[in-house]
Amino acid sequence: MNKYVAQLLEVIQKKTGCDTSGAVRWLANQAGVSERTAWYWKQQEKLRKATEKNLGRIAEELKK
């Protein structure tokens, strides 16, 4: 579910240019989870994307 939450928030932000904190609160209520959990889902998706983009660099750092 976290992938879909992050994608939805990204679309909302791009289309409206608005801060998505209100959307996170709303999504948390709809999903029946805490707002903290919804933010955690969003952060996990950002971390996954950053990791995928930088796999080569990460591998080089781990070799050192």
Side-chain angles (χ1 to χ4, degrees), residues 19-31:
D19 178 30
T20 57
S21 54
V24 170
R25 194 173 304 109
W26 184 85
L27 286 168
N29 287 333
Q30 294 301 308

Side-chain angles (χ1 to χ4, degrees), residues 40-54 58:
Y40 172 76
W41 289 341
K42 184 177 178 185
Q43 293 305 96
Q44 286 298 101
E45 184 63 14
K46 284 182 180 178
L47 179 62
R48 184 193 63 76
K49 285 180 181 178
T51 301
E52 286 177 357
K53 284 183 180 179
N54 295 293
I58 292 168

Side-chain angles (χ1 to χ4, degrees), residues 4-32:
Y4 302 110
V5 169
Q7 287 174 346
L8 180 57
L9 292 173
E10 194 173 306
V11 168
I12 290 168
Q13 190 168 30
K14 282 181 182 177
K15 292 216 180 255
T16 65
C18 296
D19 178 30
T20 57
S21 54
V24 170
R25 194 173 304 109
W26 184 85
L27 286 168
N29 287 333
Q30 294 301 308

